[in-house]
Amino acid sequence: MPELPQRIWSDEDWKRIQLGYASRDMDEKWNVFTEGEVVFLHRSWTGNGTFAATFAPVDGGGWRIASGVVERDAERYRGTDDAYDCVMLELVISVMVLGESAVDLRTQLVELMRRESGSDAPAGLIQHSALGMRSK
């Protein structure tokens, strides 16, 4: 991934990220799990891997994404926009795993999807289609 989230996650966040997230029903679209320092984001319905993000410790504490890969097979993932992928990666971790509201990331996601599609769909619909859960 040429664009990576710049966020520094706290040590406590990293502990929670390592626990992962399993979708609870068909309305949630992401499963997240960690092996070592790599966090994998898979689509819950298909099991297809979409993102893999390698975390690294930061001097002075915390963790950041040092590198990431995204699926580019159009039959498995239709994303082609680096900025969208960067936002989606951080958004899934922030919202699904950490339970944050991530208002700024949600706004960025909506703007990117509207720009890409040329649609003025409601923000809640866009968020639901991307994350698989209603906006908070």
Side-chain angles (χ1 to χ4, degrees), residues 15-34:
K15 288 176 186 174
R16 290 178 57 202
I17 291 167
Q18 289 178 296
L19 296 174
Y21 181 84
S23 61
R24 293 176 287 220
D25 58 44
M26 292 182 64
D27 224 15
E28 296 180 338
K29 296 185 179 183
W30 293 97
N31 288 318
V32 179
F33 63 95
T34 304

Side-chain angles (χ1 to χ4, degrees), residues 100-116:
E100 299 171 348
S101 61
V103 174
D104 290 342
L105 288 171
R106 289 172 184 268
T107 300
Q108 289 176 29
L109 177 78
V110 169
E111 290 171 1
L112 289 166
M113 289 189 75
R114 285 180 176 161
R115 183 181 71 209
E116 176 74 19

